[in-house]
Amino acid sequence: MAETQVQEGKAPFKIPSIDEPCFTYYKIIGDLSSGAPPVIIAHGGPGAGHEYLLPFADLWQQYGLPVIFYDQIGCAASTHLPQKAGDQSFWQEQLFQDELDNLLDHLDVRRDPGFHLLGQSWGGMLGAAFAARRPRGLRRLVLASALASKELATRGTLLLREQMPPDMQKALDEAEQKGEYDSPAYKEALDFYYRKHVCRADPFPPAELLPALKHLSEDTTVYRTMNGPSPLTADGSLNNWTVIPRLPKITSPTLVYNGEYDTSHDIAQVPFFELVPRVRWITFPGGGHMCHLEGGGLRERILKVVGEFLTHKDIPEAQ
């Protein structure tokens, strides 16, 4: 069994429009000099931080793959920029692409043996866009409960809302019409949505998810500006976002997965499956958006599927 090694650090990140020094916090599980490609883990939210994805640290223990977690700019242990709240021109995909490029260079992981990239939710949206550039060193890509476009994501959310009890649908509609998201009825509907579609762990929320919920509630700058006032109400800078025209450019072998009840609905996965040249798509029965945190054997199955995909010798690498 591989020995567990943990290293933490901060990568300086220069943002041209920001005068103050900024940095990206990272945590490495395993040994980057082991000869195996490290797995870069891009979290969702935007603004959720890396902790809820820590179960993937077991890729080191079980498959000998070093794992690199990081907190994206604006959240958790990286530099916060509350002065940029509401600035939709600032909080764009390109900022996070630049940050990921900067981190890869700081850690010097582009050279042989290269690196893998796993993005969950918004991190998968970023990961697909990043991979479409065919970045040097990228070996394999995992899109975990990602979304091919915000328009498809919204359509998927509406389909899930239509399955909710009528009184909850009414509470959601009234909150959005009035711009009031603090009513008990709205919170009850949102809690129902979270437990059925976001994370189906019982008890809810699981301990690993608590830091993400804390990050998202304590500093709303990134999530509110990029997504909107609620997971069910989108009016942020990502509203017109799409990676669909770029998907045929992805040359890395790609694993796409989502859950049966996932907020990342099947309709938002179809473009990945149809347009990425070398792709495999798995939908996990009984799973939600955070199925790597869920019981019933889901957590173990996902780690096995991801670990085997990243280490399987018979998959041709990108040319």
Side-chain angles (χ1 to χ4, degrees):
M1 179 177 289
E3 180 185 351
T4 300
Q5 302 179 38
V6 181
Q7 176 188 342
E8 296 178 271
K10 297 177 179 178
F13 178 38
K14 176 60 180 172
I15 304 174
S17 61
I18 302 292
D19 291 333
E20 66 183 275
C22 298
F23 63 85
T24 301
Y25 166 86
Y26 62 86
K27 176 185 288 185
I28 302 170
I29 308 293
D31 182 4
L32 292 184
S33 65
S34 67
V39 186
I40 314 290
I41 308 282
H43 66 72
H50 78 279
E51 293 97 337
Y52 78 98
L53 291 165
L54 282 172
F56 287 106
D58 286 348
L59 289 170
W60 169 245
Q61 286 287 351
Q62 297 186 28
Y63 295 91
L65 296 170
V67 186
I68 301 172
F69 299 95
Y70 74 103
D71 291 333
Q72 295 163 18
I73 196 72
C75 81
S78 293
T79 303
H80 288 231
L81 297 169
Q83 70 273 28
K84 288 294 186 178
D87 187 346
Q88 294 195 4
S89 64
F90 178 80
W91 296 108
Q92 293 283 337
E93 174 203 300
Q94 189 60 51
L95 172 69
F96 298 92
Q97 290 231 33
D98 293 344
E99 180 183 35
L100 182 51
D101 273 324
N102 181 73
L103 179 65
L104 293 169
D105 291 337
H106 178 80
L107 297 174
D108 191 23
V109 294
R110 295 187 194 268
R111 55 194 172 90
D112 192 63
F115 63 94
H116 303 307
L117 178 60
L118 184 154
Q120 196 273 338
S121 191
W122 146 249
M125 297 159 67
L126 173 64
F130 189 78
R133 292 170 37 209
R134 302 176 184 174
R136 182 170 63 89
L138 177 61
R139 299 282 293 276
R140 297 181 188 178
L141 175 68
V142 179
L143 303 178
S145 296
L147 302 159
S149 78
K150 197 65 174 176
E151 187 267 334
L152 288 175
T154 300
R155 282 170 52 190
T157 299
L158 289 174
L159 290 172
L160 298 181
R161 283 175 64 149
E162 290 170 359
Q163 299 171 18
M164 296 174 70
D167 59 326
M168 292 186 179
Q169 293 186 47
K170 181 181 178 183
L172 295 175
D173 293 339
E174 288 180 350
E176 291 174 349
Q177 290 166 8
K178 298 176 181 178
E180 298 174 356
Y181 300 94
D182 292 324
S183 73
Y186 180 81
K187 290 181 177 179
E188 180 186 359
L190 195 59
D191 183 68
F192 176 90
Y193 180 82
Y194 263 92
R195 291 170 185 265
K196 183 174 182 182
H197 299 294
V198 176
C199 185
R200 295 170 59 82
D202 185 18
F204 174 89
E208 297 100 327
L209 188 54
L210 292 175
L213 298 175
K214 184 172 183 282
H215 296 321
L216 290 166
S217 64
E218 290 186 349
D219 187 344
T220 62
T221 299
V222 185
Y223 186 85
R224 176 65 184 89
T225 308
M226 296 187 72
N227 186 75
S230 153
L232 295 167
T233 307
D235 63 2
S237 61
L238 288 175
N239 233 27
N240 297 314
W241 183 91
T242 182
V243 74
I244 292 173
R246 295 175 273 176
L247 293 178
K249 298 178 181 177
I250 297 177
T251 55
S252 305
T254 301
L255 169 66
V256 172
Y257 78 77
N258 66 332
E260 177 185 2
Y261 297 96
D262 207 323
T263 56
S264 294
H265 197 281
D266 283 358
I267 62 171
Q269 313 304 310
V270 170
F272 295 136
F273 188 65
E274 291 184 339
L275 297 173
V276 175
R278 290 185 289 169
V279 63
R280 180 186 182 194
W281 175 15
I282 299 175
T283 298
F284 289 96
H289 192 57
M290 305 282 187
C291 43
H292 68 281
L293 297 179
E294 297 169 8
L298 266 175
R299 180 189 299 238
E300 294 78 13
R301 288 174 60 201
I302 285 166
L303 189 74
K304 184 175 187 289
V305 166
V306 170
E308 291 182 353
F309 170 75
L310 294 178
T311 55
H312 202 286
K313 298 295 190 292
D314 294 337
I315 303 175
E317 302 291 353
Q319 299 300 312

